[in-house]
Amino acid sequence: MQPEKYDCVGPSFAVVIGNCASAWDRGAWNDETMKSTRKLISLLAALTLAGCAYFGGEEDGAYSHASAERVFVVGFSDIQQIYIDEPVMHDLVVAGLKGLRKIEPDLDVEYEKANLRLLIGNKTVVTTRVAKAGDAAAWAKAIVRMLDEMREISKPLGAATSEDIYQAVFAGAVRKLDPYTRYASAAKARENRAKRGGFGGIGLIIEAHEDGARIKAVSRGKPGDKAGVVVGDRIVAIGEVALTGYTLRQVVRLLRGPVGTEVALTLRRGEKGEPFVVTLTRARIINNTVFYARRGDVGYIRVSGFNQATSKRVLSAVQRARKDVGKNIRGLIIDMRGNPGGLLDQAVAMADLFLRSGQIISTRGRHPNSLQLFDAKGSDVFEGLPIAVLVDGASASAAEIVASALQDQGRAVIVGTRSFGKGTVQTVLRLPNDGELVLTWARIHAPSGYVLHRLGVLPTVCTSNAEDATSALDTLIGKAADILRRNLSARRAADHQDKSDQESIKALCPWQPREDKDFDLEVAEKLLGKRDLYDKALAYARPEAGS
């Protein structure tokens, strides 16, 4: 399976290193094994889910020493090798063991001179020693040995499932790292992979109904639509399984499956309709994140997230705008407000649609493979016509990549408020239990070199304190324009780790959600109607030579 990259979830960014087989299938886990499995990392590789073998790990079954050792050795070794800053292993392990308090509240953990002690009610019950302070595998094995003993003593730990244990230990350990590093169970990881890369489904949106489930929407051109399923139909059975009493989540899991496989639905139509059966072949379903509308002589594209199909759908929307409006098209508005991010390669590909040359982003971290440079490939599907990009305080990660690239390269004017500032890359690693460990491994740098993390993208036209569209655009005229240039220069020079810099940059254009009309959109439309002002805004926002 090829590497998978995404800038995740609300707001969060990520790169995925996904291998179908665990390193344990190929022999002992060591530095050479780690190196060989990571050689496949390529930030532009496509997300590929088909054909991956299940790891064979239990999901919610009885705890197993062997399974726990595999999961913890792989997980802690990944953290040691890949996390953006070199971790202190004993700190992670102590925090991980303290996470077991969620299961056994009376548990305490002490560490001194390579000695680990677990206590219940101030009484030492387990002691172990780890000789090599930086040996992640040794620490992981120590966790499992101590768990074996604790499970004999503690009834709550003894009754805990394997997933209970994994959740508690990893949740405790990652608290020592950063807010975007996290663990996902096997079930949650499957949902995450479906969101990022699509899933085998039939293109139906369902809601709860006493018969089982009711069709709420049918996706055009998908298997359900082709089979004649309509809104209002009720699903009463899937295959031989009657759905009465099933939850929506359970129904969804029955509807989904490998692409190309068949699923038989027993449906009712109308109040007294007789049941009938339709058989559908599952297809790859990728949720839509791109929405197009014409606004007079301006094309409007809303991008709500970045999944496997986003850049292609943006291209289609641009082509539709050119066709709808024709030669009199005045410009394009790309609305990424509230966009939490998504797949990294899709952010790069979307920015590349509008750039003929120059850098899109770079990423830098501790792991050698995190040092990446992304350049434009030499085409502009909108042929230099004006573009306004809308961002706000909830625009993050992949959205910030696109905004910063188009701003720094002088290709678009950014309108709105300062973006969220989620400028780190996470790599998602599949664990032997089929869960995922999401690790921060790099920081994102805009083309001009500044770090996106914590400070985000400063818009060219700030709308947070403007009373109306005219006053917002006045910031591009006269002395106000000098202030704008100084503010953008200050943003690029700011140290994302310096708290005083953080506060000063955040104050320049704070996010202030408005409950009246769509003010940002109005500003963008007016700007696109004033080509001389638009050109000035582009020039003001471009970084100075050598900066």
Side-chain angles (χ1 to χ4, degrees):
M1 180 174 177
Q2 292 181 351
E4 175 190 339
K5 303 105 205 131
Y6 79 93
D7 129 28
C8 222
V9 263
S12 157
F13 194 115
V15 124
V16 176
I17 306 168
N19 295 302
C20 289
S22 158
W24 287 92
D25 298 329
R26 297 184 296 273
W29 184 267
N30 53 39
D31 287 344
E32 289 305 310
T33 306
M34 173 70 80
K35 290 175 184 176
S36 66
T37 58
R38 302 312 179 208
K39 284 181 182 178
L40 295 175
I41 299 172
S42 165
L43 292 180
L44 285 176
L47 173 61
T48 304
L49 295 180
C52 281
Y54 181 68
F55 278 87
E58 73 294 328
E59 197 166 305
D60 288 313
Y63 175 82
S64 156
H65 173 100
S67 295
E69 187 170 283
R70 285 195 294 270
V71 170
F72 288 135
V73 169
V74 172
F76 281 95
S77 296
D78 283 342
I79 294 173
Q80 183 186 50
Q81 294 285 334
I82 291 169
Y83 187 68
I84 190 168
D85 299 314
E86 187 171 2
V88 178
M89 290 310 301
H90 72 258
D91 284 349
L92 290 184
V93 170
V94 169
L97 289 170
K98 286 182 177 179
L100 291 169
R101 289 172 178 165
K102 183 177 180 181
I103 302 170
E104 172 53 87
D106 292 331
L107 177 69
D108 202 0
V109 186
E110 293 180 355
Y111 174 80
E112 185 178 4
K113 297 180 180 178
N115 289 309
L116 262 176
R117 275 197 306 277
L118 297 187
L119 305 90
I120 293 182
N122 296 321
K123 180 181 178 182
T124 300
V125 291
V126 181
T127 303
T128 194
R129 180 178 179 82
V130 178
K132 297 181 179 180
D135 189 336
W139 281 107
K141 292 175 182 178
I143 290 175
V144 179
R145 289 197 304 272
M146 299 181 87
L147 270 169
D148 289 345
E149 295 187 51
M150 287 295 295
R151 286 170 58 81
E152 296 293 327
I153 299 166
S154 165
K155 288 185 178 180
L157 284 173
T161 66
S162 57
E163 190 54 55
D164 292 336
I165 298 291
Y166 302 153
Q167 289 271 11
V169 172
F170 282 125
V174 300
R175 278 197 287 267
K176 298 296 290 185
L177 301 175
D178 71 294
Y180 304 109
T181 293
R182 60 197 178 278
Y183 167 77
S185 68
K188 182 64 177 174
R190 281 195 293 272
E191 292 180 11
N192 293 342
R193 290 191 284 271
K195 288 178 182 177
R196 296 193 296 266
F199 54 88
I202 54 177
L204 302 177
I205 297 176
I206 61 174
E207 59 187 359
H209 190 275
E210 60 185 357
D211 285 346
R214 180 182 178 276
I215 308 301
K216 185 177 181 181
V218 180
S219 299
R220 185 180 302 174
K222 300 303 180 185
D225 179 42
K226 292 178 179 178
V229 179
V230 298
V231 172
D233 284 352
R234 286 107 62 207
I235 307 175
V236 298
I238 299 175
E240 301 297 322
V241 180
L243 298 184
T244 302
Y246 273 57
T247 66
L248 280 180
R249 182 182 291 270
Q250 290 171 322
V251 175
V252 167
R253 291 194 69 171
L254 290 172
L255 290 173
R256 293 182 180 180
V259 173
T261 59
E262 291 187 342
V263 58
L265 307 185
T266 302
L267 303 174
R268 285 183 184 274
R269 183 171 294 167
E271 289 296 323
K272 298 180 180 180
E274 291 295 320
F276 63 98
V277 177
V278 295
T279 300
L280 306 94
T281 301
R282 295 182 177 97
R284 190 166 179 229
I285 305 295
I286 301 176
N287 292 328
N288 189 25
T289 60
V290 179
F291 308 90
Y292 165 78
R294 177 176 175 176
R295 297 183 65 87
D297 52 4
V298 171
Y300 172 85
I301 301 174
R302 165 93 175 123
V303 183
S304 63
F306 290 82
N307 65 18
Q308 186 81 29
T310 298
S311 64
K312 289 183 179 179
R313 287 172 174 164
V314 169
L315 173 59
S316 296
V318 173
Q319 292 169 338
R320 184 176 171 188
R322 298 294 299 271
K323 183 178 179 180
D324 279 357
V325 184
K327 63 181 181 180
N328 295 322
I329 191 166
R330 186 156 46 95
L332 186 69
I333 295 173
I334 301 174
D335 188 350
M336 295 193 294
R337 291 173 296 178
N339 184 324
L343 291 169
L344 172 59
D345 60 350
Q346 289 296 303
V348 171
M350 178 176 162
D352 195 23
L353 290 175
F354 304 102
L355 295 173
R356 289 193 173 99
S357 63
Q359 187 183 124
I360 295 173
I361 57 158
S362 62
T363 63
R364 307 171 200 174
R366 181 169 63 100
H367 193 282
N369 286 332
S370 71
L371 307 177
Q372 301 281 338
L373 181 64
F374 301 88
D375 289 328
K377 296 177 183 176
S379 64
D380 177 357
V381 299
F382 205 51
E383 298 178 346
L385 292 170
I387 300 173
V389 174
L390 307 184
V391 299
D392 64 12
S395 303
S397 262
E400 293 174 298
I401 287 174
V402 175
S404 65
L406 298 185
Q407 183 183 57
D408 273 6
Q409 298 297 355
R411 184 61 189 91
V413 175
I414 311 302
V415 176
T417 62
R418 187 184 62 83
S419 64
F420 181 82
K422 168 57 182 67
T424 55
V425 181
Q426 280 68 46
T427 177
V428 180
L429 299 118
R430 210 154 169 180
L431 295 173
N433 69 323
D434 212 33
E436 290 179 345
L437 193 58
V438 181
L439 297 179
T440 296
W441 83 324
R443 293 184 180 89
I444 305 165
H445 293 250
S448 58
Y450 71 88
V451 177
L452 289 171
H453 198 49
R454 294 197 177 105
L455 299 180
V457 178
L458 190 67
T460 314
V461 181
C462 177
T463 61
S464 62
N465 296 313
E467 295 181 0
D468 52 38
T470 301
S471 62
L473 294 177
D474 282 346
T475 59
L476 301 173
I477 301 170
K479 292 183 178 179
D482 294 332
I483 296 173
L484 168 62
R485 283 191 289 262
R486 287 199 299 270
N487 287 348
L488 288 168
S489 294
R491 166 62 192 98
R492 292 186 173 108
D495 182 349
H496 74 285
Q497 294 181 316
D498 185 292
K499 290 192 175 180
S500 62
D501 278 9
Q502 291 174 23
E503 294 305 314
S504 63
I505 298 303
K506 287 178 181 179
L508 291 177
C509 188
W511 182 28
Q512 296 176 341
R514 297 171 180 262
E515 299 194 7
D516 52 1
K517 61 183 179 181
D518 196 334
F519 185 62
D520 296 343
L521 186 57
E522 181 186 355
V523 171
E525 289 180 321
K526 284 185 177 295
L527 178 64
L528 293 178
K530 301 176 182 290
R531 186 59 188 261
D532 58 334
L533 206 56
Y534 173 86
D535 289 340
K536 286 181 180 179
L538 287 183
Y540 294 158
R542 291 201 70 158
E544 298 176 5
S547 66

